[in-house]
Amino acid sequence: NLNALKSLRKKGIGLVFNTSRSLEEISWLQYDLTELCDILITSSGALLTDFSQKAVKEIENVAAIIADLEVNNLSYRYVTSSG
């Protein structure tokens, strides 16, 4: 729930949201997300928005996303179709 996410942010815990939807499809959420997460991954991983740097990056592969997450000391879970 929204309050739980806000509580995590107040504790200094970084959050990353990942969705297959495009930025346009979640535009109605955009304002809340800028306050709730550090990084937003959209378009099935093709676009990474780094709110802390106010930057949008096009991502060509999963390795680039993982590298960005690791540089920022953010936890992640990588799942493939084979598990």
Side-chain angles (χ1 to χ4, degrees):
N1 85 26
L2 193 56
N3 289 332
L5 296 175
K6 287 180 180 180
S7 176
L8 290 172
R9 292 291 291 158
K10 285 180 184 175
K11 293 178 181 178
I13 297 172
L15 298 174
V16 175
F17 288 97
N18 185 12
T19 180
S20 63
R21 295 178 187 255
S22 70
L23 217 51
E24 293 78 21
E25 290 176 293
I26 61 163
S27 62
W28 62 277
L29 290 174
Q30 200 90 40
Y31 179 74
D32 286 339
L33 290 177
T34 61
E35 293 181 4
L36 292 176
C37 68
D38 301 292
I39 295 175
L40 172 65
I41 301 169
T42 55
S43 301
S44 296
L47 192 65
L48 184 142
T49 304
D50 186 337
F51 294 121
S52 64
Q53 296 180 12
K54 297 184 173 38
V56 176
K57 305 173 186 177
E58 289 187 29
I59 302 298
E60 294 181 10
N61 60 49
V62 174
I65 293 173
I66 290 173
D68 276 350
L69 293 171
E70 289 177 349
V71 163
N72 291 292
N73 288 331
L74 297 169
S75 301
Y76 63 91
R77 187 177 126 211
Y78 181 62
V79 179
T80 66
S81 60
S82 62

Coordinates of all heavy atoms in Angstrom, one line a residue:
N1 N 0.8 -1.2 0.0 CA 0.0 0.0 0.0 C 0.9 1.2 0.0 O 2.0 1.2 0.3 CB -1.0 -0.1 1.1 CG -0.6 0.4 2.5 OD1 0.3 1.2 2.6 ND2 -1.3 -0.1 3.5
L2 N 0.3 2.3 -0.4 CA 1.0 3.6 -0.5 C 1.7 4.1 0.8 O 2.8 4.5 0.7 CB 0.1 4.7 -1.1 CG 0.7 5.9 -1.6 CD1 1.7 5.7 -2.7 CD2 -0.4 6.9 -2.1
N3 N 1.0 3.9 1.9 CA 1.6 4.3 3.2 C 2.8 3.5 3.5 O 3.8 4.0 4.1 CB 0.6 4.3 4.3 CG -0.5 5.3 4.1 OD1 -0.2 6.4 3.6 ND2 -1.7 5.1 4.6
A4 N 2.8 2.2 3.2 CA 4.0 1.4 3.5 C 5.2 1.8 2.7 O 6.3 1.8 3.1 CB 3.6 -0.1 3.2
L5 N 4.9 2.2 1.4 CA 6.0 2.6 0.5 C 6.6 3.9 1.0 O 7.8 4.2 1.0 CB 5.5 2.7 -0.9 CG 5.1 1.4 -1.6 CD1 4.6 1.7 -3.0 CD2 6.3 0.5 -1.7
K6 N 5.7 4.8 1.4 CA 6.2 6.1 2.0 C 7.0 5.9 3.2 O 8.0 6.6 3.5 CB 5.0 7.0 2.2 CG 4.3 7.6 1.0 CD 3.1 8.5 1.3 CE 2.5 9.0 0.0 NZ 1.4 9.9 0.3
S7 N 6.6 5.0 4.0 CA 7.3 4.7 5.3 C 8.7 4.2 5.0 O 9.7 4.6 5.6 CB 6.5 3.6 6.1 OG 7.3 3.3 7.2
L8 N 8.8 3.3 4.0 CA 10.2 2.8 3.6 C 11.0 4.0 3.1 O 12.2 4.0 3.4 CB 10.0 1.8 2.5 CG 9.4 0.4 2.9 CD1 9.2 -0.4 1.6 CD2 10.3 -0.3 3.8
R9 N 10.5 4.9 2.3 CA 11.3 6.0 1.8 C 11.7 6.9 2.9 O 12.9 7.3 2.9 CB 10.4 6.8 0.8 CG 10.1 6.2 -0.4 CD 11.3 6.0 -1.3 NE 11.7 7.3 -1.8 CZ 12.9 7.6 -2.2 NH1 13.8 6.7 -2.3 NH2 13.2 8.8 -2.6
K10 N 10.9 7.1 4.0 CA 11.3 7.9 5.1 C 12.4 7.3 5.8 O 13.2 8.0 6.5 CB 10.1 8.1 6.0 CG 9.1 9.1 5.5 CD 7.9 9.3 6.5 CE 6.9 10.2 5.9 NZ 5.7 10.4 6.7
K11 N 12.5 6.0 5.8 CA 13.6 5.3 6.4 C 14.9 5.2 5.6 O 15.9 4.6 6.0 CB 13.2 3.8 6.8 CG 12.1 3.8 7.8 CD 11.7 2.3 8.1 CE 10.6 2.3 9.1 NZ 10.1 0.9 9.3
G12 N 14.8 5.8 4.4 CA 16.0 5.9 3.5 C 16.2 4.7 2.6 O 17.2 4.5 2.1
I13 N 15.2 3.8 2.5 CA 15.3 2.7 1.7 C 14.9 3.0 0.3 O 13.9 3.6 0.0 CB 14.3 1.5 2.2 CG1 14.8 1.1 3.6 CG2 14.3 0.4 1.3 CD1 13.9 0.2 4.3
G14 N 15.8 2.7 -0.6 CA 15.6 3.0 -2.0 C 14.7 2.0 -2.7 O 14.7 0.9 -2.4
L15 N 13.8 2.5 -3.6 CA 12.8 1.7 -4.2 C 12.9 1.8 -5.8 O 13.2 2.9 -6.3 CB 11.4 2.1 -3.8 CG 11.1 1.9 -2.3 CD1 9.7 2.5 -2.1 CD2 11.2 0.5 -1.9
V16 N 12.8 0.7 -6.4 CA 12.7 0.7 -7.9 C 11.4 0.0 -8.3 O 11.1 -1.1 -7.8 CB 13.9 -0.2 -8.5 CG1 13.8 -0.3 -10.0 CG2 15.2 0.4 -8.1
F17 N 10.7 0.6 -9.2 CA 9.5 0.1 -9.8 C 9.8 -0.4 -11.2 O 10.4 0.3 -11.9 CB 8.3 1.1 -9.8 CG 7.8 1.4 -8.4 CD1 8.2 2.5 -7.7 CD2 6.9 0.5 -7.8 CE1 7.7 2.7 -6.4 CE2 6.4 0.8 -6.6 CZ 6.8 1.9 -5.9
N18 N 9.3 -1.6 -11.5 CA 9.5 -2.2 -12.8 C 8.1 -2.6 -13.4 O 7.4 -3.3 -12.7 CB 10.4 -3.4 -12.7 CG 10.8 -4.0 -14.0 OD1 10.6 -3.4 -15.1 ND2 11.4 -5.1 -14.0
T19 N 7.9 -2.2 -14.6 CA 6.6 -2.5 -15.3 C 6.8 -2.7 -16.8 O 7.7 -2.1 -17.4 CB 5.5 -1.4 -15.0 OG1 4.3 -1.8 -15.7 CG2 5.9 -0.1 -15.5
S20 N 6.0 -3.5 -17.4 CA 6.1 -3.7 -18.8 C 5.3 -2.5 -19.5 O 5.5 -2.3 -20.7 CB 5.5 -5.0 -19.2 OG 4.1 -5.0 -18.9
R21 N 4.6 -1.7 -18.8 CA 3.8 -0.6 -19.4 C 4.8 0.5 -19.8 O 5.8 0.7 -19.3 CB 2.8 -0.1 -18.5 CG 1.7 -1.2 -18.2 CD 0.7 -0.6 -17.2 NE -0.2 -1.7 -16.8 CZ -1.4 -1.7 -17.2 NH1 -1.9 -0.8 -18.0 NH2 -2.2 -2.7 -16.8
S22 N 4.3 1.3 -20.8 CA 5.1 2.4 -21.2 C 4.9 3.6 -20.2 O 4.0 3.6 -19.4 CB 4.6 2.9 -22.6 OG 3.3 3.5 -22.5
L23 N 5.8 4.6 -20.4 CA 5.7 5.7 -19.5 C 4.3 6.4 -19.7 O 3.7 6.9 -18.7 CB 6.8 6.7 -19.8 CG 7.5 7.5 -18.7 CD1 7.9 6.6 -17.6 CD2 8.6 8.3 -19.2
E24 N 3.8 6.5 -20.9 CA 2.6 7.1 -21.2 C 1.4 6.4 -20.5 O 0.5 7.0 -20.0 CB 2.3 7.2 -22.7 CG 3.2 8.1 -23.4 CD 4.6 7.5 -23.7 OE1 4.8 6.3 -23.7 OE2 5.5 8.3 -23.9
E25 N 1.5 5.0 -20.4 CA 0.4 4.2 -19.8 C 0.3 4.4 -18.3 O -0.7 4.2 -17.7 CB 0.6 2.8 -20.1 CG 0.4 2.4 -21.6 CD 0.7 1.0 -21.8 OE1 1.8 0.6 -21.8 OE2 -0.3 0.2 -22.1
I26 N 1.4 4.8 -17.7 CA 1.4 5.1 -16.2 C 1.5 6.5 -15.9 O 1.8 6.9 -14.7 CB 2.5 4.2 -15.5 CG1 3.9 4.6 -16.0 CG2 2.3 2.7 -15.7 CD1 5.0 4.2 -15.1
S27 N 1.3 7.4 -16.8 CA 1.5 8.8 -16.6 C 0.6 9.3 -15.5 O 1.0 10.3 -14.8 CB 1.2 9.6 -17.9 OG -0.1 9.4 -18.3
W28 N -0.5 8.7 -15.3 CA -1.4 9.2 -14.2 C -0.8 8.9 -12.8 O -1.1 9.5 -11.8 CB -2.8 8.5 -14.3 CG -2.8 7.0 -14.2 CD1 -2.5 6.2 -15.2 CD2 -3.0 6.2 -13.1 NE1 -2.6 4.9 -14.8 CE2 -2.9 4.9 -13.5 CE3 -3.3 6.5 -11.7 CZ2 -3.1 3.9 -12.6 CZ3 -3.5 5.5 -10.9 CH2 -3.4 4.2 -11.3
L29 N 0.2 7.9 -12.7 CA 0.9 7.6 -11.5 C 2.2 8.5 -11.3 O 2.7 8.5 -10.2 CB 1.4 6.2 -11.5 CG 0.3 5.1 -11.4 CD1 0.9 3.7 -11.6 CD2 -0.4 5.2 -10.0
Q30 N 2.7 9.1 -12.3 CA 4.0 9.7 -12.4 C 4.3 10.6 -11.1 O 5.3 10.5 -10.6 CB 4.1 10.5 -13.6 CG 5.5 10.8 -14.0 CD 6.1 9.8 -14.9 OE1 5.4 9.3 -15.8 NE2 7.3 9.4 -14.7
Y31 N 3.4 11.4 -10.7 CA 3.7 12.3 -9.6 C 4.0 11.5 -8.3 O 5.0 11.8 -7.7 CB 2.5 13.3 -9.4 CG 2.7 14.2 -8.2 CD1 3.6 15.3 -8.3 CD2 2.1 14.0 -7.0 CE1 3.8 16.1 -7.3 CE2 2.3 14.8 -5.9 CZ 3.2 15.9 -6.1 OH 3.4 16.7 -5.0
D32 N 3.2 10.6 -8.0 CA 3.4 9.8 -6.8 C 4.7 9.0 -6.9 O 5.4 8.8 -6.0 CB 2.3 8.8 -6.6 CG 1.0 9.5 -6.0 OD1 1.1 10.6 -5.5 OD2 0.0 8.9 -6.1
L33 N 5.0 8.5 -8.1 CA 6.2 7.7 -8.3 C 7.5 8.5 -8.1 O 8.5 8.0 -7.6 CB 6.2 7.0 -9.6 CG 5.2 5.8 -9.8 CD1 5.3 5.3 -11.2 CD2 5.4 4.8 -8.8
T34 N 7.5 9.7 -8.5 CA 8.7 10.5 -8.3 C 9.0 10.7 -6.8 O 10.1 10.9 -6.4 CB 8.6 11.9 -9.0 OG1 7.5 12.6 -8.4 CG2 8.4 11.8 -10.5
E35 N 8.0 10.7 -6.0 CA 8.2 10.8 -4.5 C 8.5 9.5 -3.9 O 9.0 9.4 -2.8 CB 6.9 11.4 -3.9 CG 6.7 12.8 -4.3 CD 5.4 13.4 -3.6 OE1 4.8 12.7 -2.8 OE2 5.1 14.5 -3.9
L36 N 8.1 8.4 -4.6 CA 8.2 7.1 -3.9 C 9.4 6.2 -4.3 O 9.8 5.4 -3.6 CB 6.9 6.3 -4.2 CG 5.6 6.7 -3.6 CD1 4.5 5.9 -4.0 CD2 5.8 6.7 -2.1
C37 N 9.9 6.5 -5.5 CA 11.0 5.6 -6.0 C 12.2 6.4 -6.5 O 12.0 7.5 -6.9 CB 10.5 4.5 -7.0 SG 10.0 5.2 -8.6
D38 N 13.3 5.7 -6.5 CA 14.5 6.3 -7.1 C 14.6 6.0 -8.6 O 15.0 6.9 -9.4 CB 15.7 5.6 -6.4 CG 15.7 5.9 -4.9 OD1 15.9 7.0 -4.5 OD2 15.6 4.9 -4.2
I39 N 14.2 4.8 -9.0 CA 14.3 4.5 -10.4 C 13.0 3.8 -10.8 O 12.4 3.0 -10.1 CB 15.5 3.5 -10.6 CG1 16.8 4.2 -10.3 CG2 15.5 2.9 -12.0 CD1 18.0 3.4 -10.4
L40 N 12.5 4.1 -12.0 CA 11.4 3.5 -12.6 C 11.8 2.9 -13.9 O 12.4 3.5 -14.8 CB 10.3 4.6 -12.9 CG 9.1 4.2 -13.7 CD1 8.3 3.2 -12.9 CD2 8.2 5.4 -14.1
I41 N 11.6 1.6 -14.0 CA 11.9 0.8 -15.3 C 10.5 0.5 -16.0 O 9.7 -0.1 -15.4 CB 12.6 -0.5 -14.9 CG1 13.9 -0.2 -14.2 CG2 12.9 -1.3 -16.2 CD1 14.6 -1.4 -13.6
T42 N 10.4 1.0 -17.2 CA 9.2 0.8 -18.0 C 9.4 0.2 -19.3 O 10.6 -0.1 -19.7 CB 8.5 2.2 -18.2 OG1 9.4 3.1 -18.8 CG2 8.0 2.8 -16.9
S43 N 8.4 0.0 -20.0 CA 8.4 -0.6 -21.4 C 9.2 -1.9 -21.5 O 10.1 -2.1 -22.3 CB 9.1 0.5 -22.4 OG 8.3 1.6 -22.4
S44 N 8.9 -2.8 -20.5 CA 9.5 -4.1 -20.4 C 11.0 -4.0 -20.3 O 11.8 -4.8 -20.9 CB 9.1 -5.0 -21.6 OG 7.7 -5.2 -21.6
G45 N 11.5 -3.0 -19.6 CA 13.0 -2.8 -19.4 C 13.7 -1.9 -20.4 O 14.9 -1.7 -20.3
A46 N 12.9 -1.4 -21.4 CA 13.6 -0.6 -22.4 C 13.9 0.8 -22.0 O 14.7 1.5 -22.6 CB 12.7 -0.6 -23.7
L47 N 13.2 1.3 -21.0 CA 13.4 2.7 -20.5 C 13.6 2.7 -19.0 O 12.9 2.1 -18.3 CB 12.2 3.5 -20.9 CG 12.3 5.0 -20.8 CD1 13.3 5.5 -21.8 CD2 10.9 5.6 -21.1
L48 N 14.7 3.4 -18.6 CA 14.9 3.6 -17.2 C 14.9 5.1 -16.8 O 15.6 5.9 -17.5 CB 16.3 3.0 -16.9 CG 16.7 3.0 -15.4 CD1 17.5 1.7 -15.1 CD2 17.6 4.2 -15.1
T49 N 14.1 5.4 -15.9 CA 14.0 6.8 -15.4 C 14.6 6.9 -14.0 O 14.1 6.2 -13.1 CB 12.5 7.3 -15.4 OG1 11.9 7.1 -16.7 CG2 12.4 8.8 -15.0
D50 N 15.6 7.7 -13.9 CA 16.3 7.8 -12.7 C 15.9 9.2 -12.1 O 16.4 10.2 -12.5 CB 17.9 7.8 -12.9 CG 18.7 7.8 -11.6 OD1 18.1 8.3 -10.6 OD2 19.8 7.4 -11.6
F51 N 15.0 9.1 -11.1 CA 14.4 10.4 -10.6 C 15.5 11.2 -9.8 O 15.4 12.4 -9.7 CB 13.2 10.1 -9.7 CG 12.0 9.5 -10.4 CD1 11.5 8.3 -10.1 CD2 11.5 10.3 -11.5 CE1 10.4 7.8 -10.8 CE2 10.4 9.8 -12.2 CZ 9.9 8.5 -11.9
S52 N 16.4 10.5 -9.2 CA 17.4 11.2 -8.4 C 18.3 12.0 -9.3 O 18.8 13.0 -8.8 CB 18.2 10.2 -7.5 OG 19.0 9.3 -8.4
Q53 N 18.5 11.6 -10.5 CA 19.4 12.4 -11.4 C 18.5 13.1 -12.5 O 19.1 13.7 -13.3 CB 20.3 11.4 -12.1 CG 21.3 10.8 -11.2 CD 22.3 9.8 -11.9 OE1 22.3 9.8 -13.1 NE2 23.0 9.0 -11.2
K54 N 17.2 13.0 -12.3 CA 16.3 13.6 -13.3 C 16.7 13.3 -14.7 O 16.8 14.1 -15.6 CB 16.2 15.1 -13.1 CG 15.7 15.5 -11.7 CD 15.5 17.0 -11.6 CE 14.8 17.4 -10.3 NZ 15.0 16.8 -9.1
A55 N 16.9 12.0 -14.9 CA 17.4 11.5 -16.3 C 16.6 10.3 -16.7 O 16.1 9.5 -15.9 CB 18.8 11.1 -16.2
V56 N 16.4 10.3 -18.0 CA 15.7 9.1 -18.7 C 16.8 8.5 -19.5 O 17.4 9.1 -20.3 CB 14.5 9.6 -19.5 CG1 13.9 8.4 -20.3 CG2 13.5 10.2 -18.6
K57 N 16.9 7.2 -19.4 CA 17.9 6.4 -20.1 C 17.3 5.3 -20.9 O 16.4 4.6 -20.4 CB 19.0 5.8 -19.2 CG 19.6 6.7 -18.3 CD 20.5 6.0 -17.3 CE 21.1 6.9 -16.2 NZ 21.9 6.2 -15.2
E58 N 17.7 5.2 -22.2 CA 17.2 4.0 -22.9 C 18.1 2.9 -22.6 O 19.3 3.0 -22.7 CB 17.2 4.3 -24.4 CG 16.1 5.3 -24.8 CD 16.0 5.5 -26.3 OE1 16.3 4.6 -27.1 OE2 15.7 6.6 -26.7
I59 N 17.5 1.7 -22.3 CA 18.2 0.6 -21.9 C 18.1 -0.5 -23.0 O 17.0 -0.8 -23.5 CB 17.7 0.0 -20.6 CG1 17.8 1.0 -19.5 CG2 18.5 -1.3 -20.2 CD1 19.2 1.5 -19.2
E60 N 19.3 -0.9 -23.5 CA 19.3 -1.9 -24.6 C 19.2 -3.3 -24.1 O 18.8 -4.2 -24.9 CB 20.5 -1.6 -25.5 CG 20.4 -0.3 -26.2 CD 21.6 0.0 -27.1 OE1 22.3 -1.0 -27.4 OE2 21.7 1.1 -27.6
N61 N 19.7 -3.6 -22.9 CA 19.7 -5.0 -22.5 C 19.6 -5.0 -20.9 O 19.8 -4.0 -20.2 CB 20.9 -5.7 -23.0 CG 22.2 -5.1 -22.5 OD1 22.4 -4.8 -21.4 ND2 23.1 -4.9 -23.5
V62 N 19.3 -6.2 -20.4 CA 19.2 -6.4 -19.0 C 20.5 -6.1 -18.2 O 20.5 -5.6 -17.1 CB 18.6 -7.8 -18.7 CG1 18.6 -8.1 -17.2 CG2 17.3 -8.0 -19.3
A63 N 21.6 -6.4 -18.8 CA 22.9 -6.2 -18.2 C 23.1 -4.8 -17.8 O 23.6 -4.5 -16.8 CB 24.0 -6.7 -19.1
A64 N 22.6 -3.9 -18.7 CA 22.8 -2.4 -18.4 C 21.9 -2.0 -17.2 O 22.3 -1.2 -16.4 CB 22.4 -1.6 -19.6
I65 N 20.7 -2.6 -17.1 CA 19.8 -2.3 -16.0 C 20.5 -2.8 -14.7 O 20.5 -2.1 -13.7 CB 18.4 -3.0 -16.2 CG1 17.7 -2.3 -17.3 CG2 17.6 -2.9 -14.9 CD1 16.4 -3.0 -17.7
I66 N 21.0 -4.0 -14.7 CA 21.6 -4.6 -13.5 C 22.8 -3.8 -13.1 O 23.0 -3.5 -11.9 CB 22.0 -6.1 -13.8 CG1 20.7 -6.9 -13.9 CG2 22.9 -6.6 -12.7 CD1 20.9 -8.4 -14.3
A67 N 23.6 -3.3 -14.0 CA 24.8 -2.5 -13.7 C 24.3 -1.2 -13.0 O 24.9 -0.8 -12.0 CB 25.6 -2.2 -15.0
D68 N 23.3 -0.6 -13.5 CA 22.7 0.7 -12.9 C 22.2 0.4 -11.5 O 22.5 1.2 -10.6 CB 21.6 1.3 -13.7 CG 22.1 2.2 -14.9 OD1 23.3 2.5 -14.9 OD2 21.3 2.5 -15.7
L69 N 21.5 -0.7 -11.3 CA 21.0 -1.1 -10.0 C 22.2 -1.3 -9.0 O 22.2 -0.8 -7.9 CB 20.1 -2.3 -10.1 CG 18.8 -2.1 -10.8 CD1 18.1 -3.4 -11.0 CD2 17.9 -1.1 -10.1
E70 N 23.2 -2.0 -9.5 CA 24.4 -2.3 -8.6 C 25.2 -1.1 -8.3 O 25.6 -0.9 -7.1 CB 25.2 -3.4 -9.2 CG 24.5 -4.7 -9.2 CD 25.3 -5.9 -9.9 OE1 26.3 -5.6 -10.6 OE2 24.9 -7.0 -9.7
V71 N 25.3 -0.2 -9.2 CA 26.1 1.1 -9.0 C 25.3 1.9 -7.9 O 26.0 2.5 -7.1 CB 26.2 1.9 -10.3 CG1 26.5 3.4 -10.0 CG2 27.2 1.3 -11.2
N72 N 24.0 1.8 -7.9 CA 23.2 2.6 -6.9 C 22.9 1.7 -5.6 O 22.1 2.1 -4.8 CB 21.9 3.1 -7.5 CG 22.2 4.1 -8.5 OD1 22.6 5.2 -8.2 ND2 22.0 3.8 -9.8
N73 N 23.6 0.6 -5.5 CA 23.4 -0.3 -4.3 C 21.9 -0.7 -4.1 O 21.4 -0.7 -3.0 CB 23.9 0.3 -3.0 CG 25.4 0.2 -3.0 OD1 26.0 -0.6 -3.6 ND2 26.1 1.2 -2.4
L74 N 21.2 -0.9 -5.2 CA 19.8 -1.3 -5.1 C 19.6 -2.8 -5.3 O 20.2 -3.4 -6.2 CB 19.0 -0.5 -6.2 CG 19.0 1.0 -6.0 CD1 18.4 1.7 -7.2 CD2 18.2 1.4 -4.8
S75 N 18.7 -3.4 -4.5 CA 18.5 -4.8 -4.6 C 17.6 -5.1 -5.8 O 16.8 -4.2 -6.2 CB 17.7 -5.3 -3.4 OG 18.5 -5.0 -2.2
Y76 N 17.8 -6.2 -6.4 CA 16.9 -6.6 -7.5 C 16.8 -8.1 -7.5 O 17.6 -8.9 -6.9 CB 17.5 -6.1 -8.8 CG 18.9 -6.7 -9.1 CD1 19.0 -7.9 -9.9 CD2 20.1 -6.1 -8.7 CE1 20.2 -8.4 -10.2 CE2 21.3 -6.7 -9.0 CZ 21.4 -7.8 -9.7 OH 22.6 -8.4 -10.0
R77 N 15.8 -8.6 -8.3 CA 15.6 -10.0 -8.5 C 15.4 -10.2 -10.0 O 14.6 -9.6 -10.6 CB 14.4 -10.5 -7.7 CG 14.2 -12.0 -7.8 CD 13.0 -12.4 -6.9 NE 12.1 -13.2 -7.8 CZ 10.8 -13.2 -7.7 NH1 10.2 -12.5 -6.8 NH2 10.2 -14.0 -8.5
Y78 N 16.2 -11.0 -10.6 CA 16.2 -11.3 -12.0 C 15.6 -12.6 -12.3 O 16.0 -13.6 -11.8 CB 17.6 -11.2 -12.6 CG 17.7 -11.4 -14.0 CD1 17.1 -10.5 -14.9 CD2 18.4 -12.5 -14.6 CE1 17.1 -10.7 -16.3 CE2 18.5 -12.7 -16.0 CZ 17.9 -11.8 -16.8 OH 17.9 -12.0 -18.2
V79 N 14.5 -12.6 -13.0 CA 13.7 -13.8 -13.3 C 13.6 -14.0 -14.8 O 13.3 -13.0 -15.5 CB 12.3 -13.8 -12.7 CG1 11.6 -15.1 -13.0 CG2 12.4 -13.5 -11.2
T80 N 13.9 -15.2 -15.3 CA 13.8 -15.5 -16.7 C 12.6 -16.4 -16.9 O 12.0 -16.9 -16.0 CB 15.0 -16.1 -17.3 OG1 15.2 -17.4 -16.7 CG2 16.3 -15.3 -17.0
S81 N 12.3 -16.6 -18.2 CA 11.1 -17.5 -18.5 C 11.4 -19.0 -18.0 O 10.5 -19.7 -17.7 CB 10.9 -17.5 -20.0 OG 12.0 -18.0 -20.7
S82 N 12.7 -19.3 -17.8 CA 13.0 -20.6 -17.3 C 13.1 -20.7 -15.8 O 13.4 -21.7 -15.2 CB 14.3 -21.1 -17.9 OG 15.4 -20.3 -17.6
G83 N 12.8 -19.6 -15.2 CA 12.8 -19.6 -13.7 C 14.0 -19.0 -13.1 O 14.3 -18.7 -12.1

